[in-house]
Amino acid sequence: MTYLVFARKYRPQNFKQLIAQNHITDTLENAIKSDRIAQAFLFTGPRGVGKTSMARILSKALNCKDGPTTQPCNECENCLEITNSDSADVIEIDGASNTGVDDVRRIQNELLYPPQKSQFKIYIIDEVHMLSKNAFNALLKTLEEPPKNVKFIFATTEPHKLPATITSRCQRYDFHRIPIKKITQRIKYITDKENITIEDQAVFLLAKKADGSLRDALSLLDQIVSIDKAKITKNDVLDTFGIVDINIYHTLVKNIINNDNKNLLENLHSVIAEGNDITEFILGLIEYFRNILILKVGIIPEEVHEDDISELAKYKDEFTEEDLLYVITILIDAKEKLKKYSQPLLFVETTLLKLSNLDKLVDIESLESEIISADIAEKKTKNSKPNLKKKSKVEVKKKLEPEIEAESEEEEEEAEKRSVDLEEIKLKWGDFIDSIIDDMPVRANYLSNIIIAKVQKNQVICTTKSKLAYQQLNESREQLSNLLTDFYEAKIEFVPEFKKTEEDKFIHSPTLQDIKKHSPEVAEIMKKLDGFILRQEKK
Ligand SMILES: [Zn+2]
């Protein structure tokens, strides 16, 4: 018995059976009904979404004995021949392997002869963007003076590669990716028909992995069915295709939130030990945070199985939108850099630790005495270390004088004379970001989301509601000041400020140097914690 792959066995044979492309079938059906059928069609869209199937169905609609009709019979000789790719009047050409001008000449010669037993001679050229320039030119001639009863259907995943002279002569139809839900329904339909027992979550994973392509989904189904088990489970799909289980990400993110670095790294090591690809793992993590973000803005992400939504939703209040954007930026950045590292695992470890430690903001007042007493204890016992692993309490209370001013006069003299105003800064802000985006994408991202609050004495004072953004920008304060100075050609000091809520009063935070002058103890604590002042309150 020959085994027919599902994609062929269940190939749609009429317009109604085509999934998720109603916007196209409706238009084509109307065109057929009103007898306004174009000379040339251009079908564009991702792979495996039904372009070639649509081309065949359209061919049948035109060449069926009852045609042109919106409901080809699928029984007449013409229909059957098209189904079997065996029609003398419907010629399928693969653009990838027929790219030469000779191939197009051959088509042009053939065009001289009328269709043999159908109304139309139809050329379906798949991956048409692969044709050579000469071939396009030859094709163009044909399109300019179309022979009677000839139709062209071009299909491509990359329409931007087609010359405008060709696209302008075609009626264009853009095919969509197929939603996971629709793919899931189709897989269930087929597995029912085939008496295949498969878990819901397994079907979902196949549909998700197919990434919008029904053809890919069905070929994944072919593969998983071939393991030949009475019941196909979620784990079978995970194992067969090397997919990292969402539960791993649940745990991992929980550990990031809890700053549980030990378990975090253990999670990572077990994922890698199971043979998962490290880049795939990072991609999965990016997607996970992206899904939290989607949930946070109030949309249920279709990429998450309904059983997993509640777990994901638990984390959405742990992050602000800006935090999530920042985390995603870090991970995307890491994914890019990963290729360059000879020890990718080490690199991913540090990236995860970075995420886990992002919100290491400490209530200094409560720690102050602890550290000082620990320090005393340390001096006595020498070996003991103060426990600094306290986490996330966002207030920092301090008794600093708020105004730390007065650059030395020498410095003032050094500064360029030109002054800048808010308007000028805002006007060129976008250009400034563009100029640094390649070298510091994460900071550029923050700068594009920051509010430029005011400019006074060439201090550019910017506010952000994200503590992470603040932390990162404050770390690069000097560097950014220099970059701004170069860019605006005026001495500029960059001053980031954290503004938690609209109501919060904020005072820009001093540098470690400043603090040292006024309160060496606090400076010491900040250094130990690698921390920064978030807010000061006068007592
Ligand atoms: Zn027919």
Side-chain angles (χ1 to χ4, degrees):
M1 198 181 86
T2 49
Y3 175 70
L4 203 53
V5 297
F6 292 132
R8 279 199 62 192
K9 190 169 177 183
Y10 291 92
R11 175 173 284 159
Q13 301 299 347
N14 59 49
F15 288 122
K16 294 275 170 296
Q17 287 172 358
L18 262 163
I19 291 167
Q21 311 295 358
N22 298 355
H23 61 296
I24 294 173
T25 48
D26 289 352
T27 319
L28 287 178
E29 283 182 336
N30 282 334
I32 293 167
K33 277 181 205 155
S34 58
D35 198 21
R36 275 194 273 197
I37 303 160
Q39 172 82 29
F41 299 85
L42 176 61
F43 291 171
T44 73
R47 53 195 295 271
V49 296
K51 297 188 296 296
T52 318
S53 295
M54 186 75 89
R56 292 206 181 113
I57 294 168
L58 178 59
S59 304
K60 282 184 209 173
L62 297 178
N63 275 358
C64 177
K65 292 280 186 211
D66 307 333
T69 169
T70 55
Q71 287 164 316
C73 70
N74 274 312
E75 283 169 2
C76 71
E77 197 186 355
N78 287 354
C79 281
L80 289 175
E81 281 179 358
I82 295 171
T83 303
N84 299 320
S85 302
D86 201 20
S87 167
D89 296 325
V90 178
I91 299 132
E92 290 191 36
I93 297 163
D94 178 10
S97 52
N98 296 272
T99 65
V101 69
D102 287 344
D103 295 307
V104 178
R105 289 251 164 75
R106 187 169 45 79
I107 297 173
Q108 283 177 322
N109 287 337
E110 267 182 39
L111 287 170
L112 300 172
Y113 304 100
Q116 287 180 21
K117 47 184 174 182
S118 325
Q119 277 205 51
F120 299 99
K121 204 160 191 175
I122 300 169
Y123 289 88
I124 301 175
I125 306 185
D126 203 8
E127 297 303 341
V128 64
H129 64 274
M130 306 278 279
L131 291 178
S132 67
K133 202 180 170 198
N134 286 336
F136 274 126
N137 287 336
L139 193 60
L140 192 59
K141 274 194 191 130
T142 316
L143 286 174
E144 276 167 351
E145 297 159 38
K148 232 184 150 195
N149 294 337
V150 169
K151 303 283 178 201
F152 287 95
I153 307 174
F154 303 127
T156 179
T157 48
E158 299 183 73
H160 55 278
K161 289 189 178 167
L162 292 177
T165 43
I166 300 282
T167 49
S168 65
R169 287 176 168 79
C170 299
Q171 211 169 65
R172 177 171 167 161
Y173 294 87
D174 293 328
F175 286 62
H176 296 162
R177 296 170 87 250
I178 303 177
I180 290 177
K181 204 174 164 189
K182 298 265 182 189
I183 297 182
T184 305
Q185 285 167 354
R186 188 68 182 160
I187 295 177
K188 280 185 180 160
Y189 170 82
I190 292 174
T191 47
D192 277 356
K193 286 245 167 191
E194 300 280 332
N195 289 318
I196 295 164
T197 313
I198 179 166
E199 281 180 3
D200 256 20
Q201 287 253 20
V203 173
F204 179 82
L205 283 174
L206 292 176
K208 187 180 161 197
K209 187 166 173 57
D211 197 23
S213 162
L214 184 61
R215 184 173 63 218
D216 285 1
L218 297 189
S219 102
L220 293 169
L221 182 63
D222 285 323
Q223 283 184 61
I224 199 73
V225 166
S226 71
I227 65 171
D228 205 18
K229 278 180 61 177
K231 182 181 186 179
I232 298 162
T233 64
K234 175 186 173 186
N235 280 334
D236 293 330
V237 177
L238 292 174
D239 292 347
T240 307
F241 300 113
I243 302 169
V244 181
D245 189 7
I246 192 165
N247 287 322
I248 305 232
Y249 291 118
H250 286 325
T251 316
L252 202 104
V253 171
K254 194 160 75 194
N255 288 329
I256 287 177
I257 292 166
N258 295 334
N259 299 113
D260 188 343
N261 293 341
K262 180 173 174 286
N263 278 319
L264 181 63
L265 292 188
E266 279 175 5
N267 289 152
L268 172 66
H269 294 158
S270 67
V271 169
I272 302 306
E274 281 165 21
N276 289 294
D277 180 73
I278 207 158
T279 309
E280 288 295 315
F281 163 75
I282 292 283
L283 281 171
L285 193 57
I286 292 170
E287 191 196 295
Y288 192 93
F289 278 108
R290 174 259 184 199
N291 288 334
I292 299 178
L293 181 62
I294 297 280
L295 265 181
K296 202 168 173 68
V297 300
I299 299 168
I300 306 283
E302 72 153 6
E303 292 84 356
V304 183
H305 190 272
E306 53 188 12
D307 295 351
D308 293 312
I309 291 285
S310 60
E311 186 70 25
L312 203 69
K314 281 185 201 163
Y315 303 138
K316 79 175 162 48
D317 296 329
E318 302 280 348
F319 301 92
T320 66
E321 279 174 36
E322 277 165 311
D323 291 345
L324 289 166
L325 279 171
Y326 178 63
V327 167
I328 291 167
T329 317
I330 286 190
L331 288 170
I332 290 174
D333 198 38
K335 196 206 94 202
E336 290 303 311
K337 286 181 180 156
L338 203 55
K339 300 165 208 155
K340 297 181 205 152
Y341 282 79
S342 56
Q343 288 181 295
L345 180 60
L346 188 71
F347 179 64
V348 173
E349 282 172 349
T350 49
T351 304
L352 289 185
L353 290 177
K354 200 167 160 188
L355 297 184
S356 158
N357 290 296
L358 279 176
D359 66 341
K360 201 147 254 172
L361 299 172
V362 182
D363 185 338
I364 286 193
E365 194 161 82
S366 73
L367 269 187
E368 203 167 15
S369 55
E370 191 183 327
I371 290 170
I372 290 167
S373 59
D375 257 358
I376 296 165
E378 190 179 18
K379 274 168 197 150
K380 282 179 184 165
T381 62
K382 287 242 159 173
N383 282 332
S384 69
K385 277 187 177 173
N387 176 24
L388 301 182
K389 288 219 159 188
K390 272 271 147 52
K391 65 168 187 50
S392 90
K393 167 77 168 59
V394 185
E395 295 289 278
V396 168
K397 294 182 179 171
K398 250 300 300 159
K399 308 100 189 165
L400 274 180
E401 296 300 314
E403 293 303 321
I404 297 161
E405 239 180 49
E407 286 175 61
S408 73
E409 282 187 7
E410 286 167 49
E411 271 173 337
E412 293 231 296
E413 275 167 16
E414 273 174 38
E416 290 175 39
K417 294 252 164 65
R418 200 173 89 77
S419 70
V420 285
D421 58 16
L422 184 62
E423 199 183 352
E424 185 188 348
I425 294 289
K426 281 188 170 170
L427 194 67
K428 296 190 205 152
W429 195 249
D431 293 339
F432 171 66
I433 290 169
D434 284 347
S435 75
I436 62 165
I437 197 156
D438 288 340
D439 296 327
M440 31 172 51
V442 174
R443 280 159 186 78
N445 179 38
Y446 276 139
L447 289 174
S448 61
N449 289 309
I450 210 162
I451 296 159
I452 308 169
K454 57 184 166 182
V455 175
Q456 58 181 26
K457 292 182 189 164
N458 280 20
Q459 277 192 332
V460 175
I461 298 162
C462 297
T463 67
T464 171
K465 282 189 272 185
S466 159
K467 59 195 176 201
L468 302 176
Y470 171 75
Q471 183 181 18
Q472 295 288 311
L473 291 174
N474 198 41
E475 272 175 17
S476 317
R477 220 167 134 151
E478 210 179 304
Q479 192 187 1
L480 288 169
S481 296
N482 291 336
L483 287 168
L484 282 165
T485 298
D486 289 348
F487 184 83
Y488 285 94
E489 293 174 341
K491 179 77 185 165
I492 289 178
E493 190 192 344
F494 175 67
V495 184
E497 285 173 349
F498 175 71
K499 191 181 178 190
K500 203 177 169 202
T501 63
E502 291 305 319
E503 308 84 60
D504 275 346
K505 283 269 159 54
F506 55 88
I507 313 163
H508 81 74
S509 38
T511 63
L512 192 63
Q513 293 298 336
D514 298 332
I515 294 163
K516 228 176 201 163
K517 274 187 246 162
H518 293 262
S519 173
E521 311 85 53
V522 172
E524 191 58 25
I525 292 167
M526 285 179 65
K527 235 172 114 181
K528 278 206 167 109
L529 296 172
D530 194 20
F532 62 94
I533 300 280
L534 197 64
R535 212 169 71 152
Q536 323 159 45
E537 286 169 12
K538 283 195 233 179
K539 287 215 164 162

